[in-house]
Amino acid sequence: MEKTSDKSPEKITDKISAPTVMRLSEYYRVLTELDAERQLTVSSSRLAEVGGITPSQVRKDLSYFGNFGRRGLGYNVTELRRALREILGLNRRWNVALVGAGNLGHALHSYQEFRQQGFYVRAIFDVDPSKVGEKWGDIVVSHLDDLAGIVAKEKIEIAILVTPADVAQEVADRIVETGIEGILNFAPRKLEVPDSVMLRNVNLSIALESLTFSLTS
Amino acid sequence: MEKTSDKSPEKITDKISAPTVMRLSEYYRVLTELDAERQLTVSSSRLAEVGGITPSQVRKDLSYFGNFGRRGLGYNVTELRRALREILGLNRRWNVALVGAGNLGHALHSYQEFRQQGFYVRAIFDVDPSKVGEKWGDIVVSHLDDLAGIVAKEKIEIAILVTPADVAQEVADRIVETGIEGILNFAPRKLEVPDSVMLRNVNLSIALESLTFSLTS
DNA sequence: AGATGTGAAAGTTTTCACAGCC
DNA sequence: GGCTGTGAAAACTTTCACATCT
């Protein structure tokens, strides 16, 4: 029935499944579009249709966090969008470091979507002497040896790891040492990090392989 | 010489869950490393340890496709690797087109991992006149209007869609018209394609948002 | 002995269905 | 009438445990 807004001191996030979080991100994106189109309300069925899922899935996902809708009317677009911003932690800026100044790092540096969501690349690191010193936009590529100092000075909270796979673990170790809270790993290798550091992996090959798996056989 | 079972005329792939397919890709990557290290056999527990899962999960995943192991001994690395190559459709070359010649397209074009897995970028498309005609390695960027002709000529089977979100659907429609079998979509928008076209999505923002979700709470 | 393959149990996620409110 | 919120059922995925084979 009623959920008070008084929450327990422990993390809600632990009880929420990964698929639910991914769907929240998609709802957020759709709501951003609807908001731009001046839509005032949206129903769970509408949200479901866009995301290719069921209306009850949408309602269930949202119900973990509160009662955002109104029976008979649906959800207020602006209100729900703001709620999701907060839930996803997007109602603030995040200082990010790119670790690895290769092509993928370059693409991520200029990825508009990140900036729009509040992710600010504050530093870029590499070990290649020919890259250190390069200017990327308004940021100068630093040597990895300066990681700790710059992370502290720039108050960097998240590292995006885009190094070759064979050095990924040792670079991750150095990132962990700086006290950074989260790592987004693009290197195709499973990393070991302490539980206190949040780790998410993006493997570009896996998506392609899942495609060829389905196209084969 | 294990042979995957010869049971049904319909697609095995339909019965295999997405998480299983992703794990197969990871096993394959680990086996590639073990093979390079001249390891002859590997147990499900060893494979599980590297992937951070349970041994029975590994055995269950593999058992959907055949009996690759030997009781008491484990799996032959080379043999299992070859089997997974075949299952994932990596025992051949795939002709790929990059649709979108921006930074992300550029990063993917030079992504070594793709080439190593047998994915060959045979064409690159854009609509920006300043990009059409550029030379990327040994490929000249073509205008999107030439998509159908070049796809046919180069026997392209997979399109990697890396356009801005707001044109992603119309570009996807044009890709579908060419008869391409699969699309890997990097644009942050849900695409509508016929069931006959395989679609996989990679959303770079979602991984970051899942990180901030866990860091917030 | 050592490790797979698998049916059954446990756990998790999705869907159903309907009470309850607009 | 319309649509949410949610407990219960169904579906799906993972883990267990042990028979089975080398």
Side-chain angles (χ1 to χ4, degrees):
Chain A
M1 283 260 195
E2 283 282 299
K3 258 190 194 162
T4 64
S5 44
D6 272 328
K7 297 300 173 194
S8 63
E10 64 180 25
K11 297 203 169 195
I12 297 177
T13 62
D14 297 344
K15 296 180 179 170
I16 305 299
S17 72
T20 292
V21 178
M22 288 173 51
R23 287 192 298 266
L24 292 177
S25 289
E26 300 196 355
Y27 304 152
Y28 176 66
R29 186 151 347 85
V30 173
L31 286 163
T32 302
E33 285 169 26
L34 292 175
D35 207 17
E37 292 167 15
R38 295 266 191 280
Q39 293 281 336
L40 297 183
T41 63
V42 66
S43 65
S44 60
S45 3
R46 177 88 192 283
L47 272 176
E49 202 180 356
V50 182
I53 53 177
T54 65
S56 36
Q57 182 78 81
V58 174
R59 298 201 297 276
K60 183 70 92 182
D61 285 341
L62 296 176
S63 76
Y64 294 130
F65 299 94
N67 299 354
F68 303 113
R70 295 225 235 154
R71 294 164 199 239
L73 297 174
Y75 301 89
N76 175 304
V77 170
T78 311
E79 226 170 64
L80 182 56
R81 177 165 182 269
R82 186 161 47 228
L84 286 178
R85 261 178 91 81
E86 203 164 313
I87 290 165
L88 291 170
L90 300 178
N91 57 341
R92 47 160 293 196
R93 291 189 171 195
W94 290 90
N95 294 323
V96 172
L98 275 174
V99 184
N103 287 312
L104 190 51
H106 188 251
L108 296 176
H109 175 247
S110 53
Y111 194 57
Q112 290 308 311
E113 191 90 354
F114 282 172
R115 178 65 58 115
Q116 283 160 20
Q117 310 275 11
F119 298 106
Y120 283 74
V121 175
R122 299 297 191 197
I124 302 163
F125 298 93
D126 209 300
V127 290
D128 181 343
S130 75
K131 282 181 181 149
V132 174
E134 266 183 17
K135 226 169 167 221
W136 287 23
D138 50 1
I139 298 176
V140 177
V141 176
S142 303
H143 194 280
L144 188 62
D145 290 344
D146 299 328
L147 184 72
I150 295 175
V151 162
K153 178 159 156 262
E154 298 287 341
K155 298 189 171 54
I156 285 165
E157 303 153 293
I158 293 174
I160 301 182
L161 200 165
V162 275
T163 65
D166 57 328
V167 296
Q169 182 62 59
E170 59 180 284
V171 172
D173 293 344
R174 296 177 74 168
I175 292 171
V176 167
E177 276 173 25
T178 67
I180 269 181
E181 302 169 63
I183 299 178
L184 184 64
N185 172 40
F186 280 83
R189 168 119 2 161
K190 265 271 150 54
L191 299 181
E192 293 275 344
V193 301
D195 290 348
S196 59
V197 176
M198 288 289 143
L199 173 66
R200 293 293 181 280
N201 295 287
V202 178
N203 188 319
L204 300 177
S205 291
I206 281 183
L208 252 184
E209 288 165 14
S210 139
L211 202 51
T212 53
F213 170 78
S214 296
L215 291 176
T216 306
S217 67
Chain B
M1 295 271 177
E2 302 288 338
K3 188 129 200 251
T4 39
S5 91
D6 53 357
K7 40 181 137 179
S8 68
E10 63 180 25
K11 294 204 168 198
I12 297 177
T13 63
D14 297 344
K15 296 179 178 170
I16 306 300
S17 73
T20 293
V21 178
M22 289 173 52
R23 286 191 299 266
L24 292 178
S25 288
E26 300 196 354
Y27 304 153
Y28 177 66
R29 192 153 32 69
V30 173
L31 286 163
T32 301
E33 284 169 27
L34 292 175
D35 207 17
E37 294 167 14
R38 296 267 191 278
Q39 293 282 335
L40 297 183
T41 63
V42 66
S43 65
S44 59
S45 2
R46 178 88 192 284
L47 272 176
E49 203 180 355
V50 182
I53 54 177
T54 65
S56 35
Q57 181 78 83
V58 174
R59 297 201 298 276
K60 182 69 91 182
D61 285 341
L62 296 176
S63 76
Y64 293 131
F65 300 94
N67 299 356
F68 303 114
R70 297 224 236 152
R71 294 166 198 241
L73 297 173
Y75 302 89
N76 175 303
V77 170
T78 310
E79 226 171 64
L80 182 56
R81 178 166 181 269
R82 185 161 49 227
L84 286 177
R85 262 177 90 80
E86 202 164 312
I87 290 165
L88 292 170
L90 300 178
N91 57 341
R92 45 159 296 196
R93 292 187 170 195
W94 291 89
N95 294 323
V96 172
L98 275 174
V99 184
N103 287 312
L104 190 51
H106 187 252
L108 296 177
H109 175 247
S110 52
Y111 193 57
Q112 290 308 310
E113 191 91 352
F114 282 172
R115 178 64 60 115
Q116 283 160 20
Q117 310 275 9
F119 298 106
Y120 283 74
V121 175
R122 298 297 191 197
I124 302 163
F125 298 93
D126 209 300
V127 291
D128 182 342
S130 75
K131 280 180 182 150
V132 174
E134 267 184 16
K135 227 171 167 218
W136 287 22
D138 51 2
I139 298 177
V140 176
V141 177
S142 303
H143 194 281
L144 188 60
D145 290 344
D146 299 328
L147 184 71
I150 294 175
V151 162
K153 179 161 155 260
E154 298 286 341
K155 297 190 171 55
I156 286 165
E157 303 152 292
I158 293 174
I160 301 183
L161 201 165
V162 275
T163 65
D166 57 328
V167 296
Q169 181 61 59
E170 58 180 284
V171 172
D173 293 344
R174 296 177 73 167
I175 291 171
V176 167
E177 275 173 26
T178 67
I180 270 180
E181 302 170 63
I183 299 178
L184 184 63
N185 172 40
F186 280 83
R189 168 116 7 157
K190 265 272 149 53
L191 299 180
E192 293 274 345
V193 299
D195 290 347
S196 59
V197 176
M198 287 289 142
L199 174 66
R200 293 292 181 280
N201 296 287
V202 178
N203 188 318
L204 300 177
S205 291
I206 280 183
L208 253 184
E209 288 165 16
S210 139
L211 203 49
T212 53
F213 171 78
S214 296
L215 291 175
T216 305
S217 65

